[in-house]
Amino acid sequence: MSQGTENSTHFGYKTVETEQKADMVAGVFHSVAAKYDIMNDVMSFGIHRMWKRFTIESAGARPGMKVLDLAGGTGDLTAKFSHLVGDRGQVTLADINDSMLKVGREKLRDKGIVGNVNYVQANAEALPFPDNHFDIITIAFGLRNVTDKDAAISSMLRVLKPGGKLLVLEFSKPKHEVMRKIYDLYSFKVMPKMGALITQDADSYEYLAESIRMHPDQETLKGMMQTAGFEQVEYTNMTDGVVALHKGYKF
């Protein structure tokens, strides 16, 4: 899947200058941050909670572990990991977007989750953490918004401990033609209208639908992870491949 030329990249279906994309994506998430949780529930009919629950179960977090929830947004995974790693563990919620971080911080504090969680504004392509630092990294519905996905995957490998695992939960390619047609109709006709209704922002949800289509498919992403140096890479399709969970290890 092409990511554009050296000086250009994709913003949805548009081709933009590479240095512009981060600001344009930031604008999308500044716009939708306050209603992000509501939109996730409405758009996925609540199924995103099942996708995330499977990701948590696959992560195998245990007391004392260090977990990085990258592009962690409003903190759904961080909240679960906080309970699993306990007082001796630590969860870092990192997101490039300060509006999303603020929403996540407020939500988790309202739930009383404060002791073992810290918040870092970070670019996935150049993570500001030491080498060999985390036991687990998750990135849920965030990789497709990254400009240089290869750089981000390599950066994640660097900050993982040997024996650590990466889990990438992301929209992917439905396996069956009927599902693809239904999904296209829903994404391009229904999602922007719902975005306009709930957040008064149809354009951002049109971008999100387009960004899903431009994201590498299951096998391509598996290959990107292997090229970066991850081993035992495998993926699980959910909802007919509308979403896939990729898992890989650093040895």
Side-chain angles (χ1 to χ4, degrees):
M1 183 72 66
S2 169
Q3 291 186 30
T5 66
E6 187 176 344
N7 297 314
S8 68
T9 188
H10 298 294
F11 179 77
Y13 288 163
K14 301 181 186 74
T15 299
V16 300
E17 294 298 311
T18 300
E19 62 267 21
Q20 287 181 301
K21 178 169 177 174
D23 288 340
M24 294 172 78
V25 171
V28 169
F29 285 95
H30 286 313
S31 175
V32 303
K35 298 282 182 67
Y36 190 73
D37 285 335
I38 296 168
M39 285 300 290
N40 275 349
D41 278 327
V42 171
M43 295 282 194
S44 72
F45 307 103
I47 299 172
H48 76 100
R49 296 176 184 275
M50 292 167 52
W51 298 332
K52 289 172 181 172
R53 190 178 307 129
F54 181 72
T55 302
I56 295 287
E57 290 168 357
S58 300
R62 299 188 303 277
M65 281 187 166
K66 290 181 179 174
V67 178
L68 172 61
D69 181 13
L70 187 56
T74 57
D76 286 349
L77 296 183
T78 293
K80 303 286 190 199
F81 281 131
S82 172
H83 293 302
L84 290 169
V85 303
D87 294 339
R88 292 186 295 111
Q90 186 178 60
V91 185
T92 300
L93 195 168
D95 202 294
I96 197 170
N97 189 280
D98 62 328
S99 295
M100 296 291 281
L101 272 179
K102 284 172 186 167
V103 171
R105 186 187 293 117
E106 288 170 11
K107 185 169 100 175
L108 296 185
R109 284 179 176 171
D110 286 347
K111 290 182 174 181
I113 299 170
V114 290
N116 61 356
V117 176
N118 63 330
Y119 302 85
V120 177
Q121 188 170 358
N123 185 335
E125 296 171 29
L127 292 169
F129 306 111
D131 294 358
N132 308 315
H133 187 69
F134 294 102
D135 298 286
I136 296 167
I137 298 176
T138 57
I139 179 166
F141 306 116
L143 186 60
R144 73 181 188 280
N145 298 309
V146 173
T147 303
D148 189 337
K149 297 173 180 60
D150 291 313
I153 293 168
S154 293
S155 189
M156 292 180 233
L157 183 75
R158 178 184 65 78
V159 301
L160 265 180
K161 292 178 181 177
K165 72 177 83 165
L166 167 66
L167 297 105
V168 181
L169 179 66
E170 189 55 89
F171 291 106
S172 201
K173 300 293 183 284
K175 292 189 293 181
H176 296 99
E177 185 64 27
V178 172
M179 177 61 93
R180 281 197 288 271
K181 287 180 176 173
I182 293 169
Y183 187 43
D184 280 345
L185 181 69
Y186 177 71
S187 297
F188 292 108
K189 300 297 183 186
V190 179
M191 263 178 63
K193 286 185 171 66
M194 292 167 76
L197 193 66
I198 297 173
T199 68
Q200 287 72 57
D201 183 358
D203 289 347
S204 289
Y205 282 91
E206 189 173 314
Y207 156 72
L208 291 171
E210 291 175 0
S211 72
I212 291 166
R213 298 315 186 279
M214 300 305 293
H215 187 67
D217 65 16
Q218 287 93 325
E219 284 294 325
T220 305
L221 180 54
K222 178 181 177 180
M224 290 166 69
M225 290 173 65
Q226 290 171 327
T227 299
F230 282 96
E231 298 182 44
Q232 294 182 15
V233 180
E234 58 186 23
Y235 61 85
T236 303
N237 284 317
M238 293 179 273
T239 318
D240 195 58
V242 168
V243 164
L245 177 67
H246 282 71
K247 180 166 65 174
Y249 292 84
K250 175 180 178 175
F251 292 125

